[in-house]
């Protein structure tokens, strides 16, 4: 879980009046309308993915302040009610705005990361978070968002890697000893990923990228809460990597990385860091 002791919060995107309201909520929550505050935070989180990363820490601080000051949980109840409302309408949200959908997933995963009951993640959030991650792992989410980007050559170059992973019996990876995955065509795949990276950075954040980022952040604690669902999720990801047509080479690289990350007990080795990130960004 991220650090919560800092006093500065990224609320500069709000107008002056709203900034004052949020600052009061953080320090003296009994003097503000906490349901209004919860709606402001959720509304902004759906529009601004940068803020949605910060919002979990803000919510955690308000909840702690309210509990100490009044022994109540008005803000937490209002926040969870709004999250539940957006969760029920998640398909409509995704159809309306991919960016808002990505922001929502980022937000609910951050709330799961920060909020605790008896020093444990909130059980009420476990299945909704899983459902969101499963949606990100569906075939139409894993495929690249852009049309017309040159992919055929990249697909041919990774074919040997697909065959290699099939020989490794990828579905047994979580309990499989031995060295981590290494793509045999790394010298071919990484340049393709390098070419795609600028294009992806100029567009909305793709769903596979969001999926991998959230699994890095909360995958380990989510698995502790419900390991069978994590097994099912990674079975879907492995099928997506091995069988899904139309995946960009960067998406394939991200899926390989998160599969290996979990196989290594949710740890990133120095070698994996260099392989998956250093060479792509250099």
């Amino acid at each position: 879980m991220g650090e919560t002791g800092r006093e500065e919060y990224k609320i500069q995107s709000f107008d002056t009046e709203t900034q004052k309201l949020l600052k009061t909520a953080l320090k003296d929550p009994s003097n503000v309308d906490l349901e209004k505050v919860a709606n402001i935070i959720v509304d902004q989180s759906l529009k601004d993915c940068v803020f949605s990363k910060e919002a979990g820490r803000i919510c955690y601080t308000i909840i702690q302040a309210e509990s100490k000051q009044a022994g109540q949980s008005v803000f937490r109840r209002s926040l969870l009610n709004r999250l539940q409302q957006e969760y029920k309408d998640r398909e409509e949200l995704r159809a309306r705005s991919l960016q808002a959908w990505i922001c929502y997933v980022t937000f609910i995963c951050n709330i799961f990361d920060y909020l605790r009951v008896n020093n444990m993640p909130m059980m009420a959030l476990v299945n909704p978070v899983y459902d969101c991650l499963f949606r990100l792992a569906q075939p139409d989410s894993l495929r690249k968002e852009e049309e017309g980007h040159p992919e055929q050559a990249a697909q041919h170059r990774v074919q040997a890697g697909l065959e290699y992973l099939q020989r490794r019996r990828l579905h047994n990876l979580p309990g499989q000893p031995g060295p981590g995955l290494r793509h045999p065509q790394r010298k071919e795949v990484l340049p393709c990923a390098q070419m795609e990276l600028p294009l992806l950075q100029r567009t909305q954040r793709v769903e596979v990228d969001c999926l991998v980022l959230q699994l890095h952040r909360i995958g380990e604690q989510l698995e502790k809460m419900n390991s069978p669902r994590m097994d099912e999720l990674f079975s879907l990801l492995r099928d997506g990597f091995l069988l899904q047509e139309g995946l960009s080479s960067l998406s394939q690289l991200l899926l390989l990385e998160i599969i290996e990350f979990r196989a290594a007990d949710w740890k990133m080795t120095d070698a994996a860091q260099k392989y998956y990130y250093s060479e792509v960004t250099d």
Side-chain angles (χ1 to χ4, degrees):
M1 186 175 70
E3 183 181 341
T4 60
R6 295 174 295 166
E7 295 183 355
E8 295 298 324
Y9 297 89
K10 297 175 183 177
I11 58 176
Q12 295 82 3
S13 57
F14 295 99
D15 59 52
T16 303
E17 182 179 350
T18 304
Q19 287 189 42
K20 182 178 179 181
L21 177 68
L22 292 175
K23 288 178 180 178
T24 303
L26 287 162
K27 296 180 179 179
D28 190 12
S30 62
N31 283 330
V32 297
D33 182 344
L34 291 174
E35 183 177 357
K36 179 180 179 180
V37 171
N39 284 323
I40 288 172
I41 291 174
V42 175
D43 287 340
Q44 185 66 19
S45 295
L46 295 180
K47 295 186 292 186
D48 183 350
C49 279
V50 174
F51 178 77
S52 68
K53 300 175 187 177
E54 176 79 355
R57 191 168 66 92
I58 294 174
C59 292
Y60 172 84
T61 302
I62 295 174
I63 289 170
Q64 291 295 103
E66 183 189 13
S67 178
K68 291 178 181 178
Q69 187 178 68
Q72 296 181 346
S73 56
V74 174
F75 177 79
R76 186 176 73 177
R77 182 170 60 252
S78 300
L79 175 66
L80 293 178
N81 285 341
R82 181 65 191 280
L83 279 174
Q84 183 180 39
Q85 175 186 335
E86 298 296 338
Y87 167 75
K88 289 179 179 178
D89 298 333
R90 61 191 182 280
E91 284 297 334
E92 291 82 356
L93 177 65
R94 181 179 181 272
R96 184 172 68 250
S97 169
L98 182 61
Q99 181 182 4
W101 161 241
I102 294 297
C103 288
Y104 174 74
V105 176
T106 302
F107 180 55
I108 194 173
C109 288
N110 272 270
I111 295 298
F112 173 81
D113 188 31
Y114 275 96
L115 267 59
R116 290 289 186 272
V117 175
N118 297 325
N119 205 33
M120 292 289 291
M122 292 190 66
M123 182 58 72
L125 291 176
V126 172
N127 281 329
V129 168
Y130 264 121
D131 289 342
C132 290
L133 297 182
F134 267 82
R135 186 62 186 88
L136 292 175
Q138 295 303 312
D140 63 328
S141 298
L142 291 178
R143 281 195 295 268
K144 61 184 176 62
E145 296 298 322
E146 299 76 28
E147 295 295 332
H149 190 60
E151 276 296 316
Q152 189 172 11
Q155 290 172 357
H156 287 309
R157 288 167 183 164
V158 300
Q159 184 59 41
L162 298 177
E163 295 170 357
Y164 166 75
L165 290 172
Q166 288 169 328
R167 291 197 301 271
R168 281 288 305 271
R169 296 180 61 80
L170 195 56
H171 58 279
N172 288 332
L173 268 178
Q176 178 177 327
L181 294 173
R182 289 294 178 266
H183 200 299
Q185 299 296 318
R186 58 182 299 182
K187 297 301 182 184
E188 298 291 341
V189 173
L190 287 170
C192 292
Q194 286 176 318
M195 288 190 297
E196 290 170 6
L197 193 58
L199 178 62
L200 291 174
Q201 289 174 335
R202 291 197 300 268
T203 62
Q204 292 179 332
R205 212 166 150 195
V206 293
E207 291 175 284
V208 65
D209 184 44
C210 178
L211 172 64
V212 170
L213 287 172
Q214 302 317 316
L215 285 171
H216 269 284
R217 181 181 180 92
I218 64 170
E220 183 175 11
Q221 54 183 313
L222 196 59
E223 181 168 32
K224 290 177 180 177
M225 303 298 290
N226 190 332
S227 59
R229 288 210 74 184
M230 188 63 73
D231 290 338
E232 186 181 352
L233 176 60
F234 270 77
S235 177
L236 189 61
L237 293 180
R238 289 189 291 272
D239 286 347
F241 177 81
L242 293 169
L243 305 175
Q244 178 68 46
E245 296 182 358
L247 283 182
S248 69
S249 57
L250 181 57
S251 293
Q252 290 177 314
L253 201 66
L254 288 170
L255 291 179
L256 274 173
E257 185 275 325
I258 197 61
I259 290 169
E260 181 171 357
F261 185 66
R262 185 195 181 207
D265 294 325
W266 303 100
K267 296 180 178 63
M268 176 67 73
T269 65
D270 291 341
Q273 175 72 32
K274 182 176 187 298
Y275 172 58
Y276 287 109
Y277 292 104
S278 298
E279 296 190 40
V280 172
T281 56
D282 285 347

